[in-house]
């Protein structure tokens, strides 16, 4: 999950460039997470201390749910407002959200860094449903609804 989230954070091209740099620098040598972090920081030009601290050095998983959702028409489009609520320890991440309309799915990512983060987005089509982290892109505690229901006798 750490590598998957890192690829989503820096982008696929930078992700693979970082791995090439890391393996070139540490081939046949011991390496640490700090070495990997350094390769990703040099390639991406970003400070990733926060990422490695919360996903590698600390224990736990993110836990969040959806607060109240409001949809209102605005200039021929639809403004959607909702709250992403974290439970327990607060993490920083980009929350993937899928919005479903009669024309299919629109996907967005929103920065979340607080216990409660208000999100606003303007959509072209009326959203009939929204789903947080539908493709399981984040290391998180799964809700009971995320598990398939067992059939009687199983």
């Amino acid at each position: 999950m750490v590598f998957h989230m890192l690829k989503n954070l820096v982008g696929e091209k930078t992700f693979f460039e970082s791995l090439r740099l890391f393996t070139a620098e540490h081939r046949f040598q011991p390496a640490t997470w700090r070495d990997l972090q350094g390769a990703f920081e040099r390639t991406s030009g970003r400070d990733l201390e926060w990422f490695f601290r919360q996903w590698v050095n600390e224990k736990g998983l993110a836990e969040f749910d959806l607060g109240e959702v409001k949809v209102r028409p605005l200039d021929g489009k639809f403004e959607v407002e909702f709250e992403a609520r974290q439970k327990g320890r607060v993490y920083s991440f980009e929350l993937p959200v899928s919005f479903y309309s009669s024309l299919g799915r629109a996907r967005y990512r929103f920065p979340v860094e607080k216990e409660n983060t208000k999100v606003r987005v303007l959509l072209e089509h009326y959203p009939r449903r929204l789903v947080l982290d539908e493709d399981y892109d984040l290391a998180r505690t799964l809700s009971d609804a995320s598990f398939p229901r067992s059939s009687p006798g199983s």
Side-chain angles (χ1 to χ4, degrees):
M1 282 306 293
V2 169
F3 284 99
H4 180 69
M5 292 185 302
L6 195 51
K7 184 172 74 168
N8 285 337
L9 180 66
V10 301
E12 193 167 315
K13 181 180 176 200
T14 299
F15 178 80
F16 287 110
E17 286 174 8
S18 300
L19 288 179
R20 279 191 285 281
L21 174 64
F22 174 74
T23 55
E25 290 179 345
H26 298 283
R27 185 169 302 183
F28 306 115
Q29 298 176 37
T32 64
W33 283 104
R34 176 71 66 194
D35 297 327
L36 185 70
Q37 177 183 334
F40 273 86
E41 287 180 339
R42 287 193 305 281
T43 305
S44 69
R46 297 169 69 174
D47 176 5
L48 298 172
E49 175 66 30
W50 66 271
F51 178 88
F52 283 87
R53 180 177 16 84
Q54 76 179 17
W55 298 116
V56 174
N57 299 331
E58 296 175 358
K59 293 180 181 180
L61 297 172
E63 187 174 355
F64 53 85
D65 64 11
L66 181 64
E68 182 182 7
V69 178
K70 297 177 185 173
V71 180
R72 50 188 162 266
L74 183 66
D75 299 328
K77 297 182 181 184
F78 298 92
E79 182 183 61
V80 180
E81 182 181 313
F82 64 92
E83 187 174 60
R85 302 180 304 204
Q86 293 196 61
K87 301 173 185 174
R89 194 172 110 217
V90 175
Y91 288 80
S92 294
F93 53 87
E94 287 188 345
L95 177 63
V97 181
S98 299
F99 296 91
Y100 284 89
S101 73
S102 59
L103 297 178
R105 176 171 78 166
R107 298 169 66 178
Y108 293 84
R109 297 180 84 80
F110 302 102
V112 172
E113 298 177 340
K114 300 184 295 189
E115 184 177 0
N116 297 305
T117 302
K118 286 214 183 265
V119 176
R120 249 188 217 139
V121 63
L122 198 58
L123 301 175
E124 295 289 326
H125 305 284
Y126 182 82
R128 297 172 188 255
R129 180 170 64 110
L130 82 139
V131 182
L132 305 181
D133 193 27
E134 179 175 38
D135 296 324
Y136 302 96
D137 287 326
L138 297 171
R140 63 181 170 100
T141 302
L142 299 178
S143 67
D144 290 340
S146 299
F147 292 97
R149 295 179 190 226
S150 58
S151 58
S154 52

